[in-house]
Amino acid sequence: MINSVPKILVVGDLMIDHYLWGNVNRISPEAPVQVVDVQRETTVLGGAGNVVNNLHAMGCTVGVISAIGDDEVGEELKDMLSDMKVNSYLIEEKGRKTSKKSRLIASHQQVVRYDRESKEDIKPKTAHAMFEEFKFFCGEYDDYDIVLLSDYGKGVLTDQLTSDIINHARSKGKKVLVDPKGKDYSKYKGAYLLTPNKKEAIEASGIEIVDDTTLIEALKKLKDVAELDISLITLSEDGIAIFDDKLTIKPTVAREVYDVTGAGDTVLASLGYALAYEKDLVSALEFANLAAGVVVGKLGSATATLDEIEDYRISLHKGSIGNHIKTFDEIKVQVERLKKMGKKIVFTNGCFDILHRGHVTYLDTAKSFGDVLILGLNTDNSVKRLKGDDRPINAEDDRAYVLAALESVDFVVKFDEDTPYELIKLVQPDVLVKGGDYEGKEVVGSDIADEVKLVQFVDGQSTTKTIERICGV
């Protein structure tokens, strides 16, 4: 379980993504073009700002260093960062145009984009001021766990500034992750890893990637050119490839792709988030893949919250049955997340030794009382104390696995006590469900749950009768 909030510093090209949303119902009489009836207008942080957006959505403490123009767009950008309570250290450069990209969206399709910005390198004086800020917040002040460089080629991350930042960060023992731009990756020499997509990697390496052999060649070349710890290439629908001492490809997890705008920002942010918690690289890649899968299912530059990523993971891995079997500590985390989302939690428990129609019907009914069904399962020791030494027939791991595979069951938690009272105290369910044979009896945990529901059993269905038939009794 994560014990602290990661603190991540972002340096790069900040911009504003501006959207005009509308519908098309006719062609202009003036020219053969669509007439868009604009219904609404939105602005969000773009470029390195979208990395900041994603980190903020994940609950990080975020700092950002950049250069902007002394213009109206720059003031708008500062206000947006201030509203998010982001620690921003922005150097204004006289005469520079702060980047703003405007997109016209009609019926969920981008019709046109127009940009207003400066793309030349920032002045040496501006770069020096940025580096002085960076040294203070990544050294003397030493308040950030990891550094992310978001290079959109708009002139903020000059060659010298990029080199200075990476070298200083490494001297302080901090990883630097870079979303690169351009063809010469020697600019990023000494970074921990880069996150180029396949097209960018082909351009930077000069190697046409057509199979695993050429993929490895490209990964090796980029690793050598930039002296990386880890070489990585994102492969769109094919996932993310890394090369350490061997090739590893983590497959994509996107179900539907509506818009890839900002997906690279999400990969950079989510990798930074995971590595700031010192997750191993493979786990970090899996997390980044999930986050990217969330955002490409949205229209426009988008973010992925931890709740969205977790829900997405669960939905994708419903078939991965083991993911639905939780320990006490793990279910506590899930319950906290579900309650924040306003989900109605249902709890029931039992031995469920030989699963039959009566069990399945009971559980299906229990699930209908809320949004999420958590099932407390008696361990083998608990079953023996309750039913005798000849039970259970099926071991606890087998019973948990079968139950977790049911559509109606969201989570299974094994408990070793005679009653699930401690587990119910942990879950604090909205609804507690027991069998109809508890009519007129005290239900364990009824003092905790908001509501108790009794469900009648299916006639003729029981584990005891099933055993008797097997034994010929």
Side-chain angles (χ1 to χ4, degrees), residues 227-291:
E227 297 179 6
L228 306 170
D229 289 70
I230 302 293
S231 191
L232 179 154
I233 297 174
T234 63
L235 303 172
S236 188
E237 68 274 6
D238 293 324
I240 299 176
I242 59 169
F243 185 83
D244 189 356
D245 55 351
K246 62 181 172 59
L247 176 66
T248 302
I249 298 178
K250 301 304 295 182
T252 188
V253 290
R255 284 191 300 248
E256 293 183 276
V257 178
Y258 288 102
D259 190 352
V260 297
T261 304
D265 302 325
T266 301
V267 169
L268 180 65
S270 52
L271 281 174
Y273 174 90
L275 291 173
Y277 279 136
E278 299 184 348
K279 287 181 178 288
D280 64 87
L281 184 61
V282 172
S283 296
L285 288 172
E286 290 173 350
F287 180 78
N289 249 336
L290 287 166

Side-chain angles (χ1 to χ4, degrees), residues 138-395:
C138 189
E140 285 81 352
Y141 191 56
D142 199 25
D143 198 34
Y144 291 94
D145 303 311
I146 203 162
V147 178
L148 307 183
L149 302 186
S150 178
D151 193 349
Y152 269 74
K154 305 302 180 184
V156 171
L157 285 170
T158 63
D159 289 1
Q160 187 61 54
L161 177 58
T162 302
S163 177
D164 289 344
I165 286 173
I166 291 172
N167 289 334
H168 186 77
R170 285 184 71 97
S171 73
K172 299 297 181 180
K174 299 182 187 296
K175 292 184 175 70
V176 180
L177 281 59
V178 185
D179 190 358
K181 199 73 172 178
K183 296 181 179 180
D184 184 7
Y185 284 6
S186 64
K187 171 182 180 178
Y188 310 110
K189 190 172 291 186
Y192 178 71
L193 61 78
L194 310 182
T195 61
N197 60 35
K198 184 177 178 180
K199 181 175 180 293
E200 291 167 336
I202 290 171
E203 291 177 352
S205 67
I207 297 170
E208 190 68 28
I209 300 173
V210 295
D211 53 23
D212 283 356
T213 299
T214 50
L215 177 59
I216 291 172
E217 290 175 2
L219 285 162
K220 284 182 175 179
K221 184 167 184 179
L222 296 182
K223 186 175 185 180
D224 291 341
V225 167
E227 297 179 6
L228 306 170
D229 289 70
I230 302 293
S231 191
L232 179 154
I233 297 174
T234 63
L235 303 172
S236 188
E237 68 274 6
D238 293 324
I240 299 176
I242 59 169
F243 185 83
D244 189 356
D245 55 351
K246 62 181 172 59
L247 176 66
T248 302
I249 298 178
K250 301 304 295 182
T252 188
V253 290
R255 284 191 300 248
E256 293 183 276
V257 178
Y258 288 102
D259 190 352
V260 297
T261 304
D265 302 325
T266 301
V267 169
L268 180 65
S270 52
L271 281 174
Y273 174 90
L275 291 173
Y277 279 136
E278 299 184 348
K279 287 181 178 288
D280 64 87
L281 184 61
V282 172
S283 296
L285 288 172
E286 290 173 350
F287 180 78
N289 249 336
L290 287 166
V294 171
V295 300
V296 298
K298 300 179 179 181
L299 195 59
S301 293
T303 60
T305 67
L306 295 180
D307 286 338
E308 287 175 323
I309 294 168
E310 178 63 12
D311 283 344
Y312 192 59
R313 184 190 67 78
I314 290 171
S315 71
L316 287 168
H317 295 90
K318 183 62 181 174
S320 298
I321 299 167
N323 286 331
H324 299 269
I325 303 172
K326 301 295 184 183
T327 64
F328 272 53
D329 288 341
E330 289 170 339
I331 201 63
K332 181 180 179 182
V333 174
Q334 291 294 336
V335 166
E336 289 173 354
R337 183 183 69 85
L338 292 165
K339 287 183 181 293
K340 285 180 183 177
M341 296 171 66
K343 300 294 185 183
K344 189 174 184 179
I345 298 175
V346 182
F347 180 90
T348 193
N349 67 279
C351 302
F352 297 95
D353 193 357
I354 298 178
L355 200 65
H356 52 69
R357 178 185 173 185
H359 288 143
V360 175
T361 302
Y362 169 83
L363 293 171
D364 189 57
T365 303
K367 175 63 178 285
S368 72
F369 298 136
D371 301 308
V372 177
L373 176 61
I374 298 174
L375 188 155
L377 182 67
N378 294 77
T379 62
D380 291 350
N381 287 334
S382 178
V383 174
K384 288 182 187 300
R385 291 194 300 270
L386 294 172
K387 296 182 177 291
D389 289 338
D390 58 341
R391 298 283 297 276
I393 302 299
N394 292 307

Side-chain angles (χ1 to χ4, degrees), residues 57-128:
M58 293 174 192
C60 299
T61 296
V62 191
V64 58
I65 299 175
S66 188
I68 60 173
D70 59 340
D71 53 12
E72 188 176 326
V73 177
E75 290 301 315
E76 183 182 1
L77 197 152
K78 286 193 288 185
D79 288 342
M80 293 169 75
L81 288 169
S82 178
D83 289 344
M84 293 171 61
K85 294 181 171 53
V86 168
N87 301 317
S88 57
Y89 318 102
L90 308 183
I91 310 301
E92 291 187 15
E93 185 172 282
K94 188 173 179 60
R96 189 173 184 84
K97 291 181 183 177
T98 307
S99 295
K100 186 172 185 176
K101 298 180 180 180
S102 297
R103 297 173 176 88
L104 183 59
I105 311 290
S107 302
H108 302 293
Q109 294 292 325
Q110 187 173 150
V111 176
V112 68
R113 189 185 100 183
Y114 53 95
D115 300 349
R116 288 171 289 197
E117 61 188 3
S118 293
K119 293 186 283 189
E120 67 275 7
D121 281 357
I122 56 175
K123 296 173 183 177
K125 182 179 178 181
T126 306
H128 176 73

